[in-house]
mmCIF file of all heavy atoms in Angstrom:
data_model
loop_
_atom_site.group_PDB
_atom_site.id
_atom_site.type_symbol
_atom_site.label_atom_id
_atom_site.label_comp_id
_atom_site.label_asym_id
_atom_site.label_seq_id
_atom_site.Cartn_x
_atom_site.Cartn_y
_atom_site.Cartn_z
ATOM 1 N N LEU I 110 -24.575 -23.428 7.109
ATOM 2 C CA LEU I 110 -25.796 -24.124 6.685
ATOM 3 C C LEU I 110 -26.274 -23.636 5.288
ATOM 4 O O LEU I 110 -26.638 -24.416 4.483
ATOM 5 C CB LEU I 110 -26.894 -23.918 7.714
ATOM 6 C CG LEU I 110 -26.721 -24.479 9.100
ATOM 7 C CD1 LEU I 110 -27.901 -24.100 9.932
ATOM 8 C CD2 LEU I 110 -26.566 -26.011 8.997
ATOM 9 N N ALA I 111 -26.327 -22.340 5.151
ATOM 10 C CA ALA I 111 -26.980 -21.789 3.935
ATOM 11 C C ALA I 111 -26.488 -20.334 3.704
ATOM 12 O O ALA I 111 -26.088 -19.668 4.621
ATOM 13 C CB ALA I 111 -28.459 -21.859 4.028
ATOM 14 N N LEU I 112 -26.624 -19.925 2.430
ATOM 15 C CA LEU I 112 -26.206 -18.555 2.053
ATOM 16 C C LEU I 112 -27.377 -17.884 1.361
ATOM 17 O O LEU I 112 -28.233 -18.544 0.762
ATOM 18 C CB LEU I 112 -25.035 -18.599 1.072
ATOM 19 C CG LEU I 112 -23.761 -19.261 1.541
ATOM 20 C CD1 LEU I 112 -22.757 -19.256 0.346
ATOM 21 C CD2 LEU I 112 -23.135 -18.495 2.697
ATOM 22 N N SER I 113 -27.399 -16.566 1.407
ATOM 23 C CA SER I 113 -28.277 -15.777 0.546
ATOM 24 C C SER I 113 -27.412 -15.021 -0.442
ATOM 25 O O SER I 113 -26.216 -14.852 -0.206
ATOM 26 C CB SER I 113 -29.127 -14.783 1.381
ATOM 27 O OG SER I 113 -28.231 -13.733 1.803
ATOM 28 N N ALA I 114 -27.990 -14.594 -1.519
ATOM 29 C CA ALA I 114 -27.192 -13.831 -2.543
ATOM 30 C C ALA I 114 -28.057 -12.680 -2.992
ATOM 31 O O ALA I 114 -29.166 -12.891 -3.561
ATOM 32 C CB ALA I 114 -26.833 -14.752 -3.693
ATOM 33 N N GLY I 115 -27.596 -11.463 -2.856
ATOM 34 C CA GLY I 115 -28.218 -10.237 -3.371
ATOM 35 C C GLY I 115 -27.339 -9.640 -4.443
ATOM 36 O O GLY I 115 -26.160 -9.461 -4.260
ATOM 37 N N PHE I 116 -27.960 -9.398 -5.626
ATOM 38 C CA PHE I 116 -27.232 -8.800 -6.695
ATOM 39 C C PHE I 116 -27.677 -7.392 -6.988
ATOM 40 O O PHE I 116 -28.887 -7.150 -7.063
ATOM 41 C CB PHE I 116 -27.453 -9.637 -8.022
ATOM 42 C CG PHE I 116 -26.871 -11.004 -7.919
ATOM 43 C CD1 PHE I 116 -27.541 -12.076 -7.355
ATOM 44 C CD2 PHE I 116 -25.585 -11.226 -8.469
ATOM 45 C CE1 PHE I 116 -27.014 -13.312 -7.279
ATOM 46 C CE2 PHE I 116 -25.060 -12.517 -8.421
ATOM 47 C CZ PHE I 116 -25.774 -13.540 -7.849
ATOM 48 N N ILE I 117 -26.765 -6.475 -7.148
ATOM 49 C CA ILE I 117 -27.034 -5.159 -7.664
ATOM 50 C C ILE I 117 -26.349 -5.054 -8.968
ATOM 51 O O ILE I 117 -25.113 -5.139 -9.084
ATOM 52 C CB ILE I 117 -26.582 -4.040 -6.668
ATOM 53 C CG1 ILE I 117 -27.411 -4.203 -5.402
ATOM 54 C CG2 ILE I 117 -26.765 -2.677 -7.295
ATOM 55 C CD1 ILE I 117 -26.990 -3.253 -4.294
ATOM 56 N N LEU I 118 -27.145 -4.942 -10.052
ATOM 57 C CA LEU I 118 -26.599 -4.977 -11.443
ATOM 58 C C LEU I 118 -26.671 -3.603 -12.077
ATOM 59 O O LEU I 118 -27.652 -2.899 -11.842
ATOM 60 C CB LEU I 118 -27.395 -5.963 -12.242
ATOM 61 C CG LEU I 118 -27.648 -7.367 -11.671
ATOM 62 C CD1 LEU I 118 -28.521 -8.246 -12.608
ATOM 63 C CD2 LEU I 118 -26.338 -8.082 -11.375
ATOM 64 N N GLU I 119 -25.674 -3.296 -12.852
ATOM 65 C CA GLU I 119 -25.700 -2.028 -13.580
ATOM 66 C C GLU I 119 -26.423 -2.249 -14.925
ATOM 67 O O GLU I 119 -26.085 -3.276 -15.641
ATOM 68 C CB GLU I 119 -24.286 -1.539 -13.824
ATOM 69 C CG GLU I 119 -24.233 -0.174 -14.550
ATOM 70 C CD GLU I 119 -22.778 0.227 -14.879
ATOM 71 O OE1 GLU I 119 -21.869 -0.616 -14.838
ATOM 72 O OE2 GLU I 119 -22.575 1.397 -15.236
ATOM 73 N N GLU I 120 -27.314 -1.403 -15.242
ATOM 74 C CA GLU I 120 -28.008 -1.478 -16.502
ATOM 75 C C GLU I 120 -26.955 -1.588 -17.649
ATOM 76 O O GLU I 120 -25.929 -0.829 -17.627
ATOM 77 C CB GLU I 120 -28.836 -0.212 -16.660
ATOM 78 C CG GLU I 120 -29.588 -0.065 -17.966
ATOM 79 C CD GLU I 120 -30.213 1.283 -18.109
ATOM 80 O OE1 GLU I 120 -29.752 2.247 -17.490
ATOM 81 O OE2 GLU I 120 -31.169 1.408 -18.886
ATOM 82 N N GLY I 121 -27.166 -2.489 -18.577
ATOM 83 C CA GLY I 121 -26.221 -2.634 -19.679
ATOM 84 C C GLY I 121 -25.232 -3.739 -19.469
ATOM 85 O O GLY I 121 -24.417 -4.052 -20.349
ATOM 86 N N LEU I 122 -25.186 -4.332 -18.259
ATOM 87 C CA LEU I 122 -24.280 -5.453 -17.987
ATOM 88 C C LEU I 122 -24.567 -6.586 -18.997
ATOM 89 O O LEU I 122 -25.704 -6.875 -19.240
ATOM 90 C CB LEU I 122 -24.451 -5.911 -16.565
ATOM 91 C CG LEU I 122 -23.646 -7.157 -16.073
ATOM 92 C CD1 LEU I 122 -22.179 -6.791 -15.937
ATOM 93 C CD2 LEU I 122 -24.186 -7.684 -14.771
ATOM 94 N N GLU I 123 -23.483 -7.200 -19.534
ATOM 95 C CA GLU I 123 -23.730 -8.299 -20.402
ATOM 96 C C GLU I 123 -24.362 -9.462 -19.620
ATOM 97 O O GLU I 123 -23.777 -9.889 -18.548
ATOM 98 C CB GLU I 123 -22.368 -8.781 -21.012
ATOM 99 C CG GLU I 123 -21.916 -7.867 -22.085
ATOM 100 C CD GLU I 123 -20.525 -8.333 -22.622
ATOM 101 O OE1 GLU I 123 -20.378 -9.537 -22.728
ATOM 102 O OE2 GLU I 123 -19.691 -7.446 -22.759
ATOM 103 N N THR I 124 -25.441 -10.006 -20.127
ATOM 104 C CA THR I 124 -26.094 -11.123 -19.440
ATOM 105 C C THR I 124 -25.208 -12.317 -19.317
ATOM 106 O O THR I 124 -25.175 -13.016 -18.337
ATOM 107 C CB THR I 124 -27.373 -11.457 -20.185
ATOM 108 O OG1 THR I 124 -28.089 -10.294 -20.507
ATOM 109 C CG2 THR I 124 -28.284 -12.415 -19.363
ATOM 110 N N ALA I 125 -24.328 -12.516 -20.360
ATOM 111 C CA ALA I 125 -23.396 -13.626 -20.345
ATOM 112 C C ALA I 125 -22.432 -13.489 -19.222
ATOM 113 O O ALA I 125 -22.041 -14.488 -18.539
ATOM 114 C CB ALA I 125 -22.710 -13.748 -21.712
ATOM 115 N N LEU I 126 -22.003 -12.249 -18.929
ATOM 116 C CA LEU I 126 -21.035 -12.030 -17.868
ATOM 117 C C LEU I 126 -21.682 -12.356 -16.532
ATOM 118 O O LEU I 126 -21.083 -13.016 -15.672
ATOM 119 C CB LEU I 126 -20.554 -10.556 -17.893
ATOM 120 C CG LEU I 126 -19.413 -10.197 -16.970
ATOM 121 C CD1 LEU I 126 -18.142 -10.958 -17.308
ATOM 122 C CD2 LEU I 126 -19.181 -8.668 -16.992
ATOM 123 N N LEU I 127 -22.917 -11.887 -16.394
ATOM 124 C CA LEU I 127 -23.657 -12.236 -15.140
ATOM 125 C C LEU I 127 -23.784 -13.722 -15.002
ATOM 126 O O LEU I 127 -23.632 -14.305 -13.921
ATOM 127 C CB LEU I 127 -25.030 -11.571 -15.170
ATOM 128 C CG LEU I 127 -25.943 -11.944 -13.979
ATOM 129 C CD1 LEU I 127 -25.384 -11.449 -12.667
ATOM 130 C CD2 LEU I 127 -27.351 -11.293 -14.190
ATOM 131 N N GLY I 128 -23.987 -14.409 -16.129
ATOM 132 C CA GLY I 128 -24.098 -15.857 -16.115
ATOM 133 C C GLY I 128 -22.813 -16.516 -15.611
ATOM 134 O O GLY I 128 -22.871 -17.416 -14.796
ATOM 135 N N ARG I 129 -21.715 -15.950 -16.081
ATOM 136 C CA ARG I 129 -20.413 -16.566 -15.692
ATOM 137 C C ARG I 129 -20.171 -16.351 -14.202
ATOM 138 O O ARG I 129 -19.657 -17.233 -13.518
ATOM 139 C CB ARG I 129 -19.277 -15.915 -16.477
ATOM 140 C CG ARG I 129 -19.177 -16.415 -17.936
ATOM 141 C CD ARG I 129 -18.134 -15.589 -18.693
ATOM 142 N NE ARG I 129 -16.766 -15.703 -18.129
ATOM 143 C CZ ARG I 129 -15.842 -14.821 -18.251
ATOM 144 N NH1 ARG I 129 -16.088 -13.705 -18.962
ATOM 145 N NH2 ARG I 129 -14.664 -14.979 -17.727
ATOM 146 N N VAL I 130 -20.553 -15.143 -13.703
ATOM 147 C CA VAL I 130 -20.416 -14.889 -12.247
ATOM 148 C C VAL I 130 -21.269 -15.842 -11.470
ATOM 149 O O VAL I 130 -20.836 -16.452 -10.458
ATOM 150 C CB VAL I 130 -20.736 -13.389 -11.916
ATOM 151 C CG1 VAL I 130 -20.825 -13.206 -10.413
ATOM 152 C CG2 VAL I 130 -19.698 -12.504 -12.520
ATOM 153 N N ALA I 131 -22.542 -16.032 -11.932
ATOM 154 C CA ALA I 131 -23.475 -16.867 -11.194
ATOM 155 C C ALA I 131 -22.983 -18.335 -11.251
ATOM 156 O O ALA I 131 -23.086 -19.059 -10.217
ATOM 157 C CB ALA I 131 -24.855 -16.760 -11.785
ATOM 158 N N GLN I 132 -22.445 -18.734 -12.388
ATOM 159 C CA GLN I 132 -21.875 -20.090 -12.492
ATOM 160 C C GLN I 132 -20.737 -20.280 -11.478
ATOM 161 O O GLN I 132 -20.644 -21.324 -10.824
ATOM 162 C CB GLN I 132 -21.332 -20.341 -13.934
ATOM 163 C CG GLN I 132 -22.332 -20.390 -15.037
ATOM 164 C CD GLN I 132 -23.093 -21.710 -15.062
ATOM 165 O OE1 GLN I 132 -22.797 -22.637 -14.288
ATOM 166 N NE2 GLN I 132 -24.110 -21.759 -15.955
ATOM 167 N N ALA I 133 -19.883 -19.275 -11.403
ATOM 168 C CA ALA I 133 -18.760 -19.343 -10.465
ATOM 169 C C ALA I 133 -19.276 -19.475 -9.021
ATOM 170 O O ALA I 133 -18.735 -20.251 -8.204
ATOM 171 C CB ALA I 133 -17.844 -18.156 -10.635
ATOM 172 N N MET I 134 -20.307 -18.705 -8.743
ATOM 173 C CA MET I 134 -20.900 -18.771 -7.375
ATOM 174 C C MET I 134 -21.451 -20.162 -7.092
ATOM 175 O O MET I 134 -21.251 -20.742 -6.038
ATOM 176 C CB MET I 134 -22.032 -17.737 -7.211
ATOM 177 C CG MET I 134 -21.607 -16.380 -6.991
ATOM 178 S SD MET I 134 -23.002 -15.281 -6.624
ATOM 179 C CE MET I 134 -23.292 -15.679 -4.906
ATOM 180 N N GLY I 135 -22.203 -20.723 -8.113
ATOM 181 C CA GLY I 135 -22.755 -22.034 -7.944
ATOM 182 C C GLY I 135 -21.733 -23.091 -7.759
ATOM 183 O O GLY I 135 -21.810 -23.936 -6.865
ATOM 184 N N ALA I 136 -20.648 -22.974 -8.550
ATOM 185 C CA ALA I 136 -19.551 -23.982 -8.435
ATOM 186 C C ALA I 136 -18.904 -23.910 -7.045
ATOM 187 O O ALA I 136 -18.630 -24.932 -6.432
ATOM 188 C CB ALA I 136 -18.554 -23.696 -9.539
ATOM 189 N N ALA I 137 -18.722 -22.679 -6.591
ATOM 190 C CA ALA I 137 -18.070 -22.464 -5.255
ATOM 191 C C ALA I 137 -18.963 -23.048 -4.177
ATOM 192 O O ALA I 137 -18.514 -23.673 -3.250
ATOM 193 C CB ALA I 137 -17.698 -21.016 -5.055
ATOM 194 N N ALA I 138 -20.276 -22.766 -4.301
ATOM 195 C CA ALA I 138 -21.186 -23.216 -3.276
ATOM 196 C C ALA I 138 -21.281 -24.722 -3.242
ATOM 197 O O ALA I 138 -21.360 -25.385 -2.171
ATOM 198 C CB ALA I 138 -22.585 -22.598 -3.483
ATOM 199 N N ARG I 139 -21.297 -25.316 -4.460
ATOM 200 C CA ARG I 139 -21.405 -26.763 -4.523
ATOM 201 C C ARG I 139 -20.105 -27.389 -3.967
ATOM 202 O O ARG I 139 -20.128 -28.412 -3.227
ATOM 203 C CB ARG I 139 -21.637 -27.267 -5.981
ATOM 204 C CG ARG I 139 -23.089 -27.125 -6.402
ATOM 205 C CD ARG I 139 -23.330 -27.824 -7.714
ATOM 206 N NE ARG I 139 -22.623 -27.145 -8.819
ATOM 207 C CZ ARG I 139 -23.088 -26.039 -9.455
ATOM 208 N NH1 ARG I 139 -24.174 -25.488 -9.069
ATOM 209 N NH2 ARG I 139 -22.401 -25.458 -10.407
ATOM 210 N N ALA I 140 -18.929 -26.793 -4.322
ATOM 211 C CA ALA I 140 -17.659 -27.356 -3.835
ATOM 212 C C ALA I 140 -17.640 -27.295 -2.319
ATOM 213 O O ALA I 140 -17.122 -28.186 -1.681
ATOM 214 C CB ALA I 140 -16.487 -26.549 -4.431
#
Side-chain angles (χ1 to χ4, degrees):
Chain I
L110 293 178
L112 301 175
S113 73
F116 292 84
I117 294 175
L118 311 178
E119 183 186 13
E120 179 187 23
L122 176 72
E123 285 176 42
T124 312
L126 187 63
L127 175 63
R129 284 173 61 206
V130 169
Q132 293 283 358
M134 282 186 79
R139 282 189 294 279

